Amino acid sequence: GVSMLLVRTRGPATQSIESIRQTVQRVLAGLGFAYGETLSELDARDRRSWRMGAAMFVAFGALALIVAAIGLYGVIAYTVAQRQQEMGVRMALGAAPGNLAGLVVGEGLRIAMAGVIVGTVLALAGARWLQPLLYRTSAMDVSVFAAVAAVLLTVGVCASLIPALRAMRADPASVLRSD
């Protein structure tokens, strides 16, 4: 196996590594090879895999957020296209374009809110399995849950904006003539 010797030095450890390594090599003549590094280098090497895992969680989370935004955009755009005649009738009867946009964004926000509620329930249920992987933080951190909910709701509103603008620009005469 690998044996380890920790040595406390006066001054910067990097300046003493080579002399300590030579002394250990001389005292333990049968030792094939002595290697030296600072405690901070050893710690950084041990944490590298954890940092890589955290980076992968962030990357997959961002990818999931992008896929969710595209999916929500698709659903809202499809709904607006299906309701184009209704939107045209509303505009012909005097509905303000802003009201139509609010209707579309509100629908996107309702879908996003349902996703946030379901996701929060599932995250709370899975928190006990996630807790051992976390360092100096809780899996039940309210500020993290609030920040994630805010980001998801913002993404929901943003994904609804393009279909909402399309609904606002609908020409009631051409929509009503098409059927």
Side-chain angles (χ1 to χ4, degrees), residues 14-15 19 34 45 63 81 90-91 96 99 101 103 117 138 157 161 163 166-167 175:
T14 53
Q15 294 175 355
S19 64
R45 186 168 33 101
L63 182 62
R90 285 177 184 250
M91 286 185 76
N99 290 347
L103 183 73
I117 290 169
S138 170
V157 168
L161 285 178
R166 193 172 297 137
V175 169

Side-chain angles (χ1 to χ4, degrees), residues 33-96:
F33 180 75
Y35 172 74
E37 65 183 342
T38 64
L39 191 57
S40 60
E41 291 169 344
L42 179 66
D43 185 49
R45 186 168 33 101
D46 288 344
R47 290 181 189 233
R48 194 171 299 131
S49 63
W50 287 99
R51 285 194 177 130
M52 177 64 97
M56 294 304 291
F57 272 121
V58 169
F60 286 130
L63 182 62
L65 185 63
I66 291 167
V67 168
I70 291 169
L72 183 61
Y73 165 77
V75 168
I76 299 298
Y78 178 76
T79 303
V80 168
Q82 293 297 312
R83 295 172 62 191
Q84 197 70 32
Q85 186 169 6
E86 174 196 340
M87 301 283 183
V89 169
R90 285 177 184 250
M91 286 185 76
L93 293 176

Side-chain angles (χ1 to χ4, degrees), residues 49-177:
S49 63
W50 287 99
R51 285 194 177 130
M52 177 64 97
M56 294 304 291
F57 272 121
V58 169
F60 286 130
L63 182 62
L65 185 63
I66 291 167
V67 168
I70 291 169
L72 183 61
Y73 165 77
V75 168
I76 299 298
Y78 178 76
T79 303
V80 168
Q82 293 297 312
R83 295 172 62 191
Q84 197 70 32
Q85 186 169 6
E86 174 196 340
M87 301 283 183
V89 169
R90 285 177 184 250
M91 286 185 76
L93 293 176
N99 290 347
L100 292 178
L103 183 73
V104 172
V105 171
E107 186 174 336
L109 199 54
R110 280 190 299 279
I111 294 170
M113 183 60 89
V116 166
I117 290 169
V118 170
T120 300
V121 169
L122 291 174
L124 289 172
R128 69 176 184 205
W129 290 292
L130 184 64
Q131 185 61 48
L133 300 174
L134 301 175
Y135 179 71
R136 289 188 183 176
T137 189
S138 170
M140 304 290 242
D141 191 350
V142 176
S143 62
V144 170
F145 277 87
V148 168
V151 166
L152 292 175
L153 291 175
T154 302
V155 166
V157 168
C158 291
S160 302
L161 285 178
I162 295 172
L165 292 173
R166 193 172 297 137
M168 283 175 52
R169 293 187 186 128
D171 179 28
S174 65
V175 169
L176 294 175
R177 266 188 255 125

